[in-house]
Amino acid sequence: MRIDVVTVFPEYLAPLNLSLIGRAADRGLIDLAVHDLRTWTHDVHRTVDDSPAGGGAGMIMRPEPWGEAFDALVEPATPPHLLVPSPAGVRFDQSMARDLATQRHLMFACGRYEGIDQRVLDEARQTMTVTEVSLGDYVLFGGEVAVLAIVEAVTRLIPGVLGNAESLAEESHNDGLLEAPGYTKPAVWRDRPVPDVLLSGHHAKIARWRRDQALLRTAQFRPDMLAGLPDEALSKADRAV
Ligand SMILES: COc1ccc2nc(C(=O)O)sc2c1
């Protein structure tokens, strides 16, 4: 997968060079490039914003640098999926992460100020799939933090990136539930024991206990997820919890 990120704060995306994502790039599992939008400005002040048409608070990002950036980065024969983080976007979730992880080329446009001139997105839709996406019902200073989260959620699903693919199967949101609580050594810590069943070696009982905990945790913290499960997703034993 090729990933391009266009931003006025390239240093904000430095964490993408670390840990598993950095290692995936080094191993050629992803081709990641971060671009400074000001590369495509031509004035002495490298201007990327201007006052909103029609008045109002704040500034809007000018279309010209974005247009030139996309012209430089997009291969018309194989256009990317353009993702634009925005408070007005569709909610990002694990289902979207799974879909994006199958795609060949993602490009992220990080807005700042009050956002990007709408004509940039309108123009891009002539040649690309464009999705405005939000992390949640709150507002950040710009799109960079959202890109960090989305790139991590997507790249960890790419085969080979996560050393132990088995852990993907047991994590929250993979099966529509929140994951069960985890424990490790010591067996007792500050008078708090690991649940006996996890030390029993009885794999069927351990699996049942974890499923029960996942159902209880989902019912407590995310009843909306439980309500959204198809009937066939819950066994007779699940319904008895
Ligand atoms: C101007 O660009 C922005 C501003 C706020 C913001 N908030 C997001 C969020 O996902 O909450 S994405 C995003 C992009």
Side-chain angles (χ1 to χ4, degrees):
M1 176 186 288
R2 177 180 166 184
I3 301 175
D4 288 295
V5 183
V6 185
T7 170
V8 292
F9 288 120
E11 61 276 20
Y12 226 111
L13 283 302
L16 295 180
N17 297 316
L18 305 174
S19 186
L20 291 178
I21 298 177
R23 200 178 310 159
D26 294 342
R27 291 163 52 205
L29 292 173
I30 57 173
D31 173 14
L32 175 66
V34 177
H35 311 274
D36 186 342
L37 178 68
R38 296 186 198 275
T39 303
W40 292 282
T41 61
H42 308 292
D43 63 303
V44 67
H45 298 296
R46 312 191 76 189
T47 308
V48 293
D49 64 316
D50 207 329
S51 53
M59 303 291 271
I60 299 290
M61 300 189 90
R62 295 171 57 100
E64 299 95 329
W66 287 105
E68 291 187 33
F70 293 171
D71 290 347
L73 296 173
V74 174
E75 295 166 14
T78 54
H81 183 166
L82 177 62
L83 293 148
V84 185
S86 163
V90 296
R91 177 74 68 86
F92 179 72
D93 62 12
Q94 193 67 10
S95 172
M96 188 184 290
R98 280 194 287 266
D99 176 57
L100 293 176
T102 67
Q103 299 185 23
R104 181 188 30 76
H105 185 189
L106 304 179
M107 183 159 72
F108 292 87
C110 296
R112 278 274 151 172
Y113 311 102
E114 298 307 312
I116 302 172
D117 187 301
Q118 181 60 39
R119 291 169 293 180
V120 173
L121 281 65
D122 297 343
E123 167 89 357
R125 285 194 169 94
Q126 301 300 306
T127 54
M128 294 178 258
T129 300
V130 179
T131 303
E132 292 182 74
V133 59
S134 169
L135 289 188
D137 294 341
Y138 47 82
V139 183
L140 303 169
F141 279 122
E144 285 80 7
V145 166
V147 170
L148 287 172
I150 295 168
V151 168
E152 181 164 316
V154 171
T155 54
R156 66 191 298 278
L157 299 177
I158 294 172
V161 172
L162 202 57
N164 176 11
E166 184 183 328
S167 59
L168 288 175
E170 298 165 358
E171 63 188 11
S172 291
H173 302 282
N174 180 62
D175 57 2
L177 298 176
L178 301 181
E179 65 191 88
Y183 298 83
T184 185
K185 301 181 184 63
V188 179
W189 176 70
R190 295 186 180 182
D191 297 332
R192 297 178 186 276
V194 170
D196 290 339
V197 66
L198 297 180
L199 305 178
S200 68
H202 196 298
H203 297 300
K205 286 184 179 177
I206 291 170
R208 183 66 256 167
W209 181 87
R210 284 176 170 157
R211 178 75 175 179
D212 291 353
Q213 291 298 310
L215 288 161
L216 290 169
R217 177 172 274 198
T218 307
Q220 180 180 7
F221 299 129
R222 289 295 305 275
D224 59 298
M225 288 174 63
L226 213 49
L229 284 177
D231 288 343
E232 61 272 17
L234 296 177
S235 68
K236 187 175 177 183
D238 291 343
R239 298 177 191 282
V241 175

